[in-house]
Amino acid sequence: MTTSSRRTVDYERIKAVGPDRAAAEWLLRCGAKVRFQGFERWQHDYNALPTGPLGRYKIQAIDATESCIMYRGFDHLDGLKHLEEIKLNKCIYIEDACLERLSSIENLQESMHMMEVVSCGNVSDKGIIALHKLRNLEYLFLCDLPGINDKQKTVERLQTALPRLEIALDLQ
């Protein structure tokens, strides 16, 4: 699989198999894992993705730990309506623009409840502050983010925008 095929979005594929299946395929090709609504087990093997009627499997959680997901593939997330949790741990291609894009997706503004951003060196205060658009976010864990320069101001801005948000920090 070439790098370019991981980065581009196949809109025909999204139409053919639905947004959740297409997103799962992209995420797994990039080394991430997904958990479908109603299932305990994480899916990590592209060839073992469940099949069934269109729309049967809805992505509830994404664990992108050490994956190569990047901005150019984020259009895959547009149609996800049941995504509640995202873990971005050690994602070298995640940057502020990715978090801004994620936060601008209307479905995710409603559905997202939990997020982790850990050891993503290209994320700064700007990207974290953009998460304020995820209005139902209840828990945010931030750790090892050297691009954050003013953690107190960043946290205050998030807390002001999202008073119910619990923020756990492990930032130097």
Side-chain angles (χ1 to χ4, degrees):
M1 172 120 358
T2 66
T3 303
S4 63
S5 63
R6 277 191 240 133
R7 289 192 302 225
T8 56
V9 178
D10 184 346
Y11 299 99
E12 291 302 313
R13 182 74 180 152
I14 294 172
K15 270 190 220 162
V17 300
D20 290 89
R21 173 69 190 212
E25 290 174 357
W26 170 66
L27 288 159
L28 269 57
R29 281 195 312 264
C30 291
K33 297 183 281 194
V34 298
R35 193 177 70 236
F36 292 107
Q37 201 173 38
F39 293 84
E40 295 287 319
R41 197 167 62 89
W42 287 91
Q43 294 286 330
H44 58 85
D45 182 355
Y46 181 89
N47 295 313
L49 274 173
T51 56
L54 190 65
R56 158 85 172 85
Y57 297 95
K58 305 289 186 190
I59 296 176
Q60 185 172 20
I62 295 170
D63 181 349
T65 300
E66 297 181 341
S67 71
C68 64
I69 65 169
M70 61 181 62
Y71 182 85
R72 285 181 58 185
F74 271 52
D75 283 5
H76 284 102
L77 306 179
D78 284 341
L80 303 184
K81 294 184 176 155
H82 304 275
L83 183 61
E84 297 177 2
E85 174 185 341
I86 296 179
K87 294 179 182 179
L88 300 171
N89 299 343
K90 300 178 186 165
C91 299
I92 61 172
Y93 299 112
I94 293 297
E95 56 198 359
D96 291 340
C98 298
L99 298 183
E100 291 166 353
R101 174 73 175 91
L102 188 78
S103 301
S104 73
I105 299 172
E106 287 185 25
N107 291 333
L108 301 187
Q109 290 174 358
E110 289 295 321
S111 68
M112 283 289 300
H113 294 292
M114 197 209 118
M115 189 163 183
E116 290 182 9
V117 185
V118 176
S119 302
C120 296
N122 295 317
V123 170
S124 75
D125 307 73
K126 181 181 174 190
I128 298 302
I129 289 168
L131 299 177
H132 80 276
K133 292 181 181 174
L134 300 174
R135 58 184 165 268
N136 289 319
L137 200 60
E138 296 169 0
Y139 178 80
L140 177 63
F141 178 59
L142 304 173
C143 176
D144 185 28
L145 299 172
I148 298 211
N149 295 316
D150 191 344
K151 71 178 177 185
Q152 185 175 350
K153 183 177 174 187
T154 297
V155 167
E156 282 173 9
R157 288 183 68 181
L158 273 178
Q159 291 285 197
T160 300
L162 302 169
R164 294 181 309 141
L165 177 63
E166 177 189 341
I167 301 175
L169 294 174
D170 186 4
L171 301 172
Q172 299 307 315

